[in-house]
């Protein structure tokens, strides 16, 4: 005697209960976002009509820029200034490592010696991040004069604020197991940081450092526009003299520099991952 199993009847899925408060909050948030975009659009003078009307000016600009001036008299100083831009970004990144590491340890909840130290360090890092590197460059240009040196100092201070925060967050997310083992064995804070914490997060810290090097090389280009040396200074000079073909040459050199630095940084981050 065989028996057939009957398929269980499908029960109706109960409707999802509606939450009037959640729906109302969603509509309010959407309305605020739309209103903010409308205000931003009007405040910034966004107008695609003006962009279309200015097409003749853009066409004249491009006609004067092409073809780029690739003569050695223009290319040689452009390559030299590009190397200066690279050195500014390199020094602004590497020289900030000791201070960034120290402040990162003090700004992490897991390694800060006291709550007030944590809050004070976080406030200092926030201040260094809040001041743009261009503002730092203008301050140092007035102090030490034109050239790459104020650019290095500007990137140094701003990068300490950015990298200190990134490293502090990486330290907070580290595996607490090795640190707890050393702490239970009576190790000091410095010993825990040196022998348990930092070896655990070194790949993350190095990856963030390479990312900041990539960013700082790009930023050093902008610093040159305010007199902090590098190829940005040549671009600004070419624009002021209406030598747009030379400007395009400098921009192409910058493009090559940025691509090379980006490839090297990406390769290092892949090996660390």
């Amino acid at each position: 005697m065989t028996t057939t199993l009957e398929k269980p009847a499908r029960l109706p899925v109960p409707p999802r209960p509606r939450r009037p408060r959640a729906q109302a909050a969603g509509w309010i948030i959407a309305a605020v976002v739309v209103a903010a975009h409308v205000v931003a659009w009007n405040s910034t003078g966004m107008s695609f009509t003006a962009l279309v009307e200015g097409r003749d000016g853009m066409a004249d600009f491009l006609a004067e820029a092409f073809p780029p001036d690739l003569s050695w008299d223009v290319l040689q100083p452009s390559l030299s200034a590009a190397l200066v831009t690279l050195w500014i970004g390199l020094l602004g990144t590497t020289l900030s490592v000791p201070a960034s590491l120290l402040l990162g340890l003090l700004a992490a909840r897991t390694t800060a010696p006291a709550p007030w130290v944590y809050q004070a360090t976080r406030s200092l890092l926030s201040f260094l991040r809040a001041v743009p590197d261009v503002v730092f460059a203008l301050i140092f240009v007035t102090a030490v004069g034109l050239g790459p040196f104020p650019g290095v100092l500007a990137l140094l201070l701003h990068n300490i604020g950015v990298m200190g925060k990134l490293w502090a967050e990486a330290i907070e997310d580290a595996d607490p197991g090795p640190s707890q083992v050393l702490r239970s064995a009576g190790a000091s804070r410095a010993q825990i940081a040196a022998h348990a914490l930092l070896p655990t997060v070194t790949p993350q810290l190095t990856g963030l450092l390479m990312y900041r090097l990539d960013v700082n090389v790009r930023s050093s280009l902008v610093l040159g526009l305010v007199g902090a040396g590098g190829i940005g200074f040549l671009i600004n000079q070419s624009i002021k003299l209406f030598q747009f073909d030379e400007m395009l040459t400098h921009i192409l050199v910058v493009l090559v520099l940025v691509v090379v630095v980006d490839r090297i940084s990406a390769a290092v981050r892949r090996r660390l991952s």
Side-chain angles (χ1 to χ4, degrees), residues 12 17 29 31 33 37 52 111 115 121 126 149 169 176 205 208 216 218 220 232:
I29 293 174
V33 171
H37 280 77
V52 173
T111 56
T121 308
S126 298
F149 183 44
E169 293 177 350
L205 301 188
L208 292 171
N216 286 335
R218 302 166 193 258
S220 60

Side-chain angles (χ1 to χ4, degrees), residues 21-22 26 79 81-82 90 99 105-106 114 147 152 155 197 220 224 230 232 234 237 244:
R21 292 185 178 179
L79 294 174
L90 178 65
L105 290 170
L106 296 178
V152 173
L155 285 181
L197 186 59
S220 60
L234 294 182
Q237 190 178 34
F244 300 120

